[in-house]
Amino acid sequence: MDLVQVFHCHFNSNFFPLFLEHLLSDHISLSTGSFLLGISYVAPHLNNLYFLPLCRRWGVYAVVRGLFLLKLGLSLLMLCAGPDRPGLLCLFIASNRVFTEGTCKLLTLVVTDLVDEDLVLNHRKQAASALLFGMVALVTKPGQTFAPLLGTWLLCFYTGHDLFQQPALTPVGSAQPWPEPPAPPPPQAPTLRQGCFYLLVLVPITCALLQLFTWSQFTLYGRRLHAVKAQRQNLSRAQTLDIKMV
């Protein structure tokens, strides 16, 4: 689940300017686009000020699951609305990035719960936090690499437009005295704007469905999490007493 989340975060980071350019450049000014780009980096950190109280009240599991459902619902709504709603499109592009980055930051709390569970179940004398955090970083690292590669390939596959292809330059002295007859128009292909729109909405839908399925298999929440936390506190108290005895 964390691998998919890291993939989605880096996908948004890489393609956010492209979505602004091809989906909203005709409807918003350059300064508004710059503002959206800047606020998308700041708002996730501000969101944590609101998400953390929710996690204390409802639990991390419920908050993360709610964010996945929100991502799926907003993406389906945007897919039904289409690319010709600039206001809704602007709101979706910004909220998609903000909520995705905010979810990434909440998953650190999940790893700390796993560290506590590992300490209790395996009766460790010391928490293996470095091992678990390193393992999570290793497993999720491919998401950073495949996000721009897969996004570029999907866009090229659907529209035939290569983001890295440059138009060929005419060599000096190669001009012909008589222009060649124009070539027949190619068959109608999806425009880059259409490709960006479907990439914008279908990637969050796919990620949300995968994450909801994998997150439903997670069991460390509710009573089980409370039991693990209670045993973890008992172990901490026992270690404190041992230190005082020494």
Side-chain angles (χ1 to χ4, degrees):
M1 187 274 295
D2 203 357
L3 170 64
V4 178
Q5 188 64 30
V6 170
F7 169 85
H8 194 196
C9 286
H10 284 79
F11 173 84
N12 286 337
S13 300
N14 284 275
F15 288 93
F16 189 85
L18 184 71
F19 294 151
L20 289 180
E21 178 183 355
H22 291 284
L23 294 175
L24 293 173
S25 59
D26 296 335
H27 304 283
I28 62 174
S29 62
L30 184 61
S31 58
T32 305
S34 301
F35 174 77
L36 288 175
L37 189 61
I39 201 66
S40 67
Y41 289 94
V42 179
H45 299 279
L46 300 178
N47 259 356
N48 286 345
L49 300 176
Y50 178 69
F51 287 153
L52 290 178
L54 290 180
C55 290
R56 282 194 292 266
R57 182 176 181 181
W58 301 105
V60 179
Y61 179 86
V63 173
V64 172
R65 185 173 181 271
L67 288 173
F68 291 158
L69 290 172
L70 180 63
K71 176 166 63 176
L72 179 61
L74 290 177
S75 302
L76 291 175
L77 177 64
M78 193 68 247
L79 180 62
C80 296
D84 298 325
R85 301 286 186 88
L88 186 60
L89 193 60
C90 182
L91 179 63
F92 175 76
I93 292 177
S95 62
N96 180 40
R97 175 168 168 76
V98 168
F99 288 138
T100 302
E101 292 287 342
T103 307
C104 272
K105 292 169 173 46
L106 286 181
L107 294 183
T108 305
L109 301 177
V110 180
V111 182
T112 58
D113 292 339
L114 292 174
V115 171
D116 292 339
E117 183 189 36
D118 174 73
L119 178 68
V120 170
L121 292 181
N122 296 300
H123 306 287
R124 298 184 187 274
K125 295 182 179 179
Q126 188 175 2
S129 55
L131 176 63
L132 286 178
F133 274 97
M135 183 179 65
V136 170
L138 177 65
V139 171
T140 59
K141 193 69 174 179
Q144 303 180 18
T145 304
F146 286 109
L149 295 178
L150 186 59
T152 304
W153 179 81
L154 288 174
L155 197 61
C156 181
F157 177 79
Y158 181 71
T159 64
H161 179 83
D162 189 357
L163 295 177
F164 302 101
Q165 185 178 5
Q166 299 293 333
L169 299 177
T170 303
V172 178
S174 63
Q176 299 180 358
W178 299 101
E180 295 183 354
Q188 186 67 25
T191 63
L192 184 58
R193 186 172 187 272
Q194 290 175 338
C196 288
F197 175 74
Y198 285 117
L199 196 66
L200 173 68
V201 295
L202 292 180
V203 168
I205 290 174
T206 305
C207 291
L209 291 174
L210 289 173
Q211 288 176 309
L212 285 171
F213 173 74
T214 54
W215 195 233
S216 64
Q217 312 300 314
F218 190 72
T219 58
L220 187 58
Y221 66 95
R223 294 181 179 179
R224 179 171 179 178
L225 180 60
H226 289 309
V228 168
K229 292 295 185 182
Q231 295 181 44
R232 177 72 172 88
Q233 290 180 356
N234 292 335
L235 289 175
S236 299
R237 291 172 184 171
Q239 291 176 356
T240 303
L241 291 176
D242 291 340
I243 293 175
K244 290 182 177 180
M245 290 293 294
V246 172

